[in-house]
Every structure is written in C-alpha cells, then in structure tokens.
Amino acid sequence: GLTPERIRAATGAVDQRSIIANAATGRDWPSYGLNYSENRFSPLRAVNSDTVGRLGLAWSYDLGSRRGVQATPIVVGGVMYVTGSWSIVHAVDAKTGQPLWTFDPEVPREHGERGCCDVVNRGVAVHQGKVYVASYDGRLFALDAATGQKLWERDTIIDRSRAYTITGAPRVFAGKVVIGNGGAEYGVRGYLTAYDAATGDQKWRWFSVPGDPSKPPEDESMARAMRTWDPAGRWWEAGGGGTMWDTMTYDPELNLMYVGTGNGSPWNRNLRSPAGGDNLYLGSIVALNPETGQYVWHYQETPGDHWDFTSTQPMILAELEIDGRRRKVVMHAPKNGFFFVIDRQTGEFISARNFTAVNWATGYDNEGRPIENPAARSVDQPFEAIPTAYGARNWHPMSFNPMTGLVYMPVHGVPLTLSPDQGWRMNANSPMRFQSASGWNLGFYLNAVDPKAKAFGRLVAWDPVRQQEAWGVDYSGPWNGGTLTTAGNLVFQGTADGRFIAYDARNGRKLWEVPVSSGVVAAPSTYEIDGEQYVSIAVGWGGVYGIVQRATDRVTPGRVYTFRVGGTAPMPAVVEAERRPLVGGIAYKAEDAQAGAGLYVANCAGCHGAPGVNNGGNVPNLGYAHRELLEELPKVVLDGAFLGSGMPRFAGRLDEAQVLQIRAFILSSAEAARRN
Ligand code: PQQ
C-alpha cells in the first residue's frame, strides 16, 4: 500500500535528474507540463489509437469545488496531487482514487474579489519529498508529500494594499521554487520570486516592469525598461502590470528559464504611457538565469500592450528543423492571436503567423515587430479588438507531439469592445466602469458599443514549421480545456459542453468520447502504475469566461476522472442545474434602472454577467434568480450572505437605495429578455 514511507521514498527522489529521466519513460507526471519543456507529450503508448475505444472509468474523486478547477493532476509514485478551487490540495491514491490527505490554506473568502478571473488554481509542484502550492491570496506553502503537513509558508506579496493573487502552479527550477502572481486588471507591478526549495529562503526576485523613477532601478533590465515608458502617465501609481501569472519553462542545458509576462495596467496605453513606447517587458517572453533571476534576453510579442494581450499563455520548448537547421526554440501562442517561434538560446525572432482571425495587426515584419492597425489604438473611438481580452487562447495548456510535429491548442473568440475612458483615474470606483468597485483599473469602458463578432471555440492542430493549421475541430462555443498528446497517436481534450474526448493526433478523427459532470477547462495527464496506463482529467467549470456563462447545465462539483483500458467503474451521477425562468413579479421603479445599470457594471458584472442574457456560469445569473432572493437583495448584498462563496460584503460600499437601483436594473433586464 501507499505508506508514508513509500510516498516519502518516491517523492523524495523527484529532482532535476529524475524529471529529465522521466521524460523518456512518462511513468510519472511529475510537473505541471509533464517535463521542463512543458510539451505535455507522453511517451506512453498502451492507450493508443487502437485501444482507446475501450477506455473505461477506473475511479473518480470528488473535489467538492463549486468554482473553476484548472489543475493538471501531478502523479508521482502512484500518488496524485491535484488542486480544486480556493487552492485546496488533494492527495489521492492514483490507482484507486482513495483519499490520502487534503490541505486547505484557508484563503479568506474576502480575497475572492481581489482576483480578476475566478478563485482557481492550476496545481502543485513536487520536489524532494515536498509538495508546493501557492494560494489565491498569495502565500506559498511547502507540504510534506506523505502527510500534507505544512513545513513552511511564505508571504509572496510585496504590498498587501494592492490586489495581488496567485492562480498559477509553482515550478522548481535549479533547486528553487519559482512563483509569479496576478493583479494587472487592478493596478499592480508584476514580479517573480524564487525561494530555496528546501528552506523557503528567498533567493531572488525579478520585476517585469519598472517602478517609481524617483527611486533607483533594481537592475540593468529595469533601467532599460524605464526608457520605454512615458513618465507623464505616472505608470508606477497603477503598478504598470506585467504580471507573470502562468507560464514558465526551463532549459537545464542552457541554464535558462523562460517566463511569459502579462498585460499593461491600466490596459489603455494612451493613459498609461501617453507618448507611446513599448513599455518593456509587457507582453513578452523573458529568459532569466534561474540561479540569480538575472535578465538574459526578451522578445516582446505585443509592444505597448493596449488590449490586455498577455503573453502568459503556456509555452513549449522544442527542437525544430527550420530552413535546414535544427533549432532550439520556444513555441508560443499568446492571447494576441499569433503563433511565435523564437530561438530560445538568443531570443531571436524566427517567425510569427496568425492562427485565427486578428484585426489589431496585419502580421509581423522581419525584425519581429507587429504591423499594427492604427485604429486599434484610437484615443477616443471604440475598437472591437480581435482577439479580445479573453485571448485567441488563454491559460488552457497546449501540447506538442514530436511524432506528428503538431501543436494542439484550444483556440477561441469571445467578442468585446473597448471604448477609451479618457476620464479614468486610479482607483476611482464609479458607475459604468467595469468592476471598479472591486478595484479594477482598465482605462476602457467594456461593451459600451455592442460587439459584432461571434463567439467560437476550436481545437487547432498547428504545424509550427510551416506556420499553418494541419487540422481543426469546431466546438459549440469558447473555453474548451487544455490538451494532452501521446505516443499512442492521441490527443485528449475536455470540452466546455462537458465531454472528454480522444482524437487521432494525425488527422483529428474522433476516437472516443465520454460525458463528464461539467464543462472542462483543465488539461489531462497520463501516467503508469504497475504496468497499467491511466488518463486523468480534473473537471470543474470556471475561469474568467466560466464564471458568467456555461455551455452545459451539468454543474456537479469539481471531480477527477481517471480512465484505463477496460475500466468498469460506474460513472458517477451528475447534477443538472435547474433551468429557471426569468425573474419577475417584483415591483420596481423603472427610472431606477439606469442608475442601477451603472452600479451593476461597477459592482456585479464581473461575476454575475449580464442579467437575463445567458444562464450563468459557476456564479448565478441574477436575471434567473429566485424571487425570494431578489426580495431580500439589500440584506443579501449588504450583509455578505454569500461571503462563504466569495461574494463580498457590500455594506459601506453601497447603500440600500443603491441596491434597489441595481435590483431595478436586474428586473428591467429580465423583462426586456422576456420580450425578446
Ligand atoms: N485567469 C483566467 C482564468 O483563470 O480563466 C483568465 C485570465 C486570468 C485572463 O484572461 C487574464 O487576463 C488574467 N490576468 C491576470 C493578470 O493580469 O494578472 C491574472 C489572471 C489569473 O491569475 O488567473 C488572469
């Protein structure tokens, strides 16, 4: 059995050498993207295009989460480590699904509104007997892998007056645990911190954007970056952004780690840096020395970001044959809609091609600079950027199969218009400014003009050498899960409409499919125990799109499903959300609805969406609320009745008359929806 001694022995052996060795066998899944390249390509082939049709459930495990589940299950020595929402860690026997331990960092639920995009967590790191998890409220924990007991805890946040969060999985590179954070919708300065994996001592910190110019820059990279920002924008007051909230990879031979940086804060560059400028190192891939945190090179994918085009989307390291030369590259498909191939030794730009429709730029020149559409940066006119802030891709991991030479990526479009907010001021909580009551600082009004584009979702198999699509599969909508590819010629992906699917990696033919308990956003993992291959997926609908809308009414709490060939465990029962009618039958003052709309956008829209427009995501749409709840709305909102679910207490921020205005807007929206 899985005794603590056995778990200690197996996890104690996880280090740089074992992770490199495991890349050849694929027996464990020891780190977020499987290996340092994060290619999510497993050499296991027992489950393959011939046997995949006989996959059946081995076991399932209830995570209890009601919000988004984004973790890739990590598996070492037969133990699975997976996180649910609110950064809760579960250790499970990966062969049977029997629980071993859980660890709850007890994130204060008040912190829920201090992150843009759901109280999610992408998973843990394992190294020499320890499991590392970073909590939503910005703490980093080292746990005993055998018992879940806390060994040490560090506060990674430099300024608790600012809305910093962590959603990403830590990585261990060169004996250090590395973690970044989120917050660039609010106004923070992005940075990455490395801690000694054994002791938790801080080893280095690298900022991605410059700080207050009246103080000396931290290092040479900040001195250089400072010259690309206009002080007239007083960017340091808004933090500048550049948060590194997701992707990191590592090349042990080159002794370089790579990180993707986030968007500008505020989004609108005309406000952040009025004279223009590239605003280094926003929207970039940056190579750092993992021993020291020293900057080595960068390539900026979106100079002078203006559209929330983060470059934090998962990247993959590979060797590609390009124009007759074998090259060590980084492959990256960030929010901005272009697929990049970059030399990872030097940072040299090799190629970029759009993998979906884009309108903010027509392409990249030979120097690797985008050729922009001037309308995309208008000072006073609305612009429907394509892609939008939801990205042509988001954090949902892609995978690369060296046998087919293809990258498998979830691609999507969620329409949005940006109207410049020339009256923006830092931390002004004011009507119509999206989530400004929670501290958002965008410098744009969102959807003040209706978007014209249509939402879509698609699995794209991309040839990174030819820079073109090899095959693709259309889905019913956006926000489908991350992918896994295997030497068995397979691609696995979960979907927003609640299916787990296997495709033939060579041609996209669907080979197997099973319904699961909610929409899927996370990526699967695969591993071998006692000679048997397993495939696991953590299911739980959520993330920034999944908070407010959904593609299936199956909304069962988060759950891990594990499959094997010939598995016969019964699929667990699923729960369908009740389809409720539009709310009505409550008297309201029609003249209140307009003021209510402004307050709703500033206080409610980020989590509850547009009332009556869709049926809600993992947070309810109030257009379909129970009448009793709306009758009690002032009490519910002001007293914090749903604080346990992450909804703030609004007393002191709104008064009863304002809540009634918000209610008038909800009721009038429901009435309008009923008429349509
Ligand atoms: N997180 C998600 C998600 O979990 O679904 C989607 C996004 C984030 C985004 O689209 C973001 O732009 C984003 N931005 C930041 C940031 O600017 O710091 C953080 C995060 C996050 O930590 O999840 C997201």
Side-chain angles (χ1 to χ4, degrees), residues 383 389 613:
F383 183 66
V613 168

Side-chain angles (χ1 to χ4, degrees), residues 70 115-122 136 163-168 181-186 188 241-246 262-265 267 308-310 312-313 335 388-391 393-396 440 479 521 542-547:
Q70 300 190 347
C116 60
C117 301
D118 201 358
V119 292
V120 292
N121 185 278
R122 302 194 184 93
Y136 189 72
Y164 282 109
T165 43
I166 300 180
T167 57
N181 43 52
E185 271 59 71
Y186 293 74
V188 303
T243 41
M244 292 158 279
W245 52 271
D246 193 41
N263 56 282
S265 194
W267 289 3
D308 184 26
F309 285 165
T310 68
T312 55
Q313 284 54 52
K335 271 190 183 178
T388 66
Y390 293 89
R393 270 174 39 63
N394 212 306
W395 60 268
H396 317 75
W440 285 50
W479 217 247
V521 291
V544 66
Y545 178 82
I547 302 176

